[in-house]
Amino acid sequence: MVARILPAADPAALAEAVAALRAGKLVAMPTETVYGLAADATNARAVARIYEAKGRPRFNPVIVHIASLEAARHVAIFTAEAERLAAAFWPGPLTLVLPLSTASSIADLTTAGLPSVAVRLPWHPAARALLSAFGRPLAAPSANRSGHVSATTAAHVAADLGDAVALILDAGPAPLGLESTIVGLAGEAPALLRPGAIARAEIEAALGQRLADAGTDDGAPLAPGMLRSHYAPAARVRLEATDVRPGEALLAFGPPPASAANAVAVVNLSQVGDLLEAAANLFAALRTLDGKTETIAVMPIPETGIGEAINDRLRRAAAPRDA
Ligand code: TXA
Ligand code: MG
């Protein structure tokens, strides 16, 4: 059966989404970063459906989305650093990993049993409307099959998850296109657990200190899509490509090389070399080129600003798949 896709701005669709969530079902929710696969974060059976639908390992906890800072305080313990970052970036594409409040009603499965919780207050009007109307925290990972490229349109969600989701709220392409930045404040020093839509330097400026690095640890993915292979298309991905080899598709950034004429397909993330535009196009571009070729050659992308997050996703897309 095919998924139901309804316009997020339609009040009847919103009411239907709330009813589905109350019944413990899954709803795909637009956010400014990527589409989320939402369930009632306080309902363990509903959250279990997320893991099932995504084929997600149970040790990988899910982000809790809330409608207000006040709601976040019921879920997590806010340190001074957390207050500062929330004031600077919420609502917005920042996720904070904080100590879980003992008074929280979040299901254990949502946090994978950890003493910490990832919380995020999105700015997207469709996400805000759903969170407010539902009135409870929503557990929502990206709405893609586990390990696959994240979904930035309703059609991507439908292609990955089909009728495992009761309803897809469609608000068009996700405006930022890259997941939230995740900052860990539950450990010793503030750490960048996942680079994302807000650049490291902006967060460091707001915090007044440097962020530690989380690194990659396949054994205990304390942090995020921090599994080395993630965000992966079926095709192989060749990074730092300055030419196109026979049979390859090209993911370009800026003016393409002459050998682009030989590519089986070309998508340019940003003709003018704009990193924000490239971030917004990244996941859709990988999906477009996938299936047209066995190898996607990716031109170099600068590591500055949001480029760190783009390169993070591309490195994971290029990583060996056996992990
Ligand atoms: O932009 C986003 O963050 C999107 C939208 C839907 O909000 N969500 C998203 O969720 O990217 P997901 O599940 O694909 O990635 C969130 C990552 C997970 O890989 C998980 O490991 C990490 O956040 N995470 C969640 N809770 C955590 C915790 N308590 N400690 C460390 N990492 C945590
Ligand atoms: Mg994800």
Side-chain angles (χ1 to χ4, degrees):
M1 233 176 74
V2 285
R4 269 165 66 65
I5 303 183
L6 298 177
D10 174 2
L14 183 65
E16 203 180 306
V18 169
L21 291 169
R22 294 222 166 100
K25 294 182 185 164
L26 305 182
V27 169
M29 164 175 75
T31 85
E32 66 273 27
T33 56
V34 297
Y35 276 69
L37 180 61
D40 181 349
T42 67
N43 177 342
R45 292 189 57 185
V47 177
R49 289 210 170 105
I50 293 180
Y51 286 90
E52 206 176 279
K54 283 186 60 106
R56 182 178 178 108
R58 298 277 172 134
F59 57 72
N60 194 358
V62 177
I63 296 177
V64 173
H65 297 67
I66 32 72
S68 65
L69 184 53
E70 196 199 328
R73 291 189 208 284
H74 289 294
V75 170
I77 297 168
F78 274 66
T79 58
E81 287 101 345
E83 294 289 352
R84 198 181 283 192
L85 291 182
F89 299 108
W90 278 3
L94 172 71
T95 297
L96 297 174
V97 173
L98 302 173
L100 180 66
S101 162
T102 49
S104 127
S105 50
I106 299 298
D108 280 348
L109 196 53
T110 305
T111 56
L114 292 172
S116 61
V117 61
V119 280
R120 160 156 138 73
L121 175 50
W123 65 244
H124 196 292
R128 306 287 307 269
L130 185 62
L131 283 160
S132 306
F134 183 53
R136 277 187 220 160
L138 286 175
S142 51
N144 52 276
R145 296 273 316 160
S146 183
H148 192 215
V149 178
S150 297
T152 55
T153 67
H156 295 163
V157 180
D160 265 32
L161 299 172
D163 62 359
V165 43
L167 178 62
I168 300 173
L169 292 175
D170 186 357
L176 302 177
L178 206 59
E179 297 85 352
S180 61
T181 304
I182 304 182
V183 175
L185 295 173
E188 276 153 33
L192 184 64
L193 299 184
R194 177 177 71 185
I198 301 175
R200 174 198 291 268
E202 285 183 62
I203 300 197
E204 291 178 340
L207 262 185
Q209 68 176 295
R210 303 296 293 268
L211 290 167
D213 280 308
T216 298
D217 186 346
D218 279 345
L222 182 215
M226 295 289 100
L227 295 171
R228 219 172 320 131
S229 170
H230 211 83
Y231 312 104
R236 285 190 44 228
V237 173
R238 182 169 73 84
L239 301 179
E240 307 293 335
T242 50
D243 62 344
V244 181
R245 298 175 189 162
E248 286 184 338
L250 177 67
L251 187 59
F253 178 77
S259 55
N262 311 324
V264 298
V266 180
V267 173
N268 203 321
L269 289 174
S270 172
Q271 203 85 43
V272 294
D274 179 308
L275 287 169
L276 287 177
E277 185 185 12
N281 290 332
L282 177 66
F283 290 134
L286 286 171
R287 284 179 186 256
T288 300
L289 294 179
D290 206 12
K292 298 205 167 118
T293 175
E294 275 170 19
T295 305
I296 301 171
V298 184
M299 287 175 65
I301 292 171
E303 190 70 16
T304 49
I306 200 176
E308 179 179 7
I310 297 174
N311 284 317
D312 170 80
R313 304 304 186 270
L314 286 169
R315 278 191 289 271
R316 289 178 209 284
R321 302 294 161 78
D322 54 0

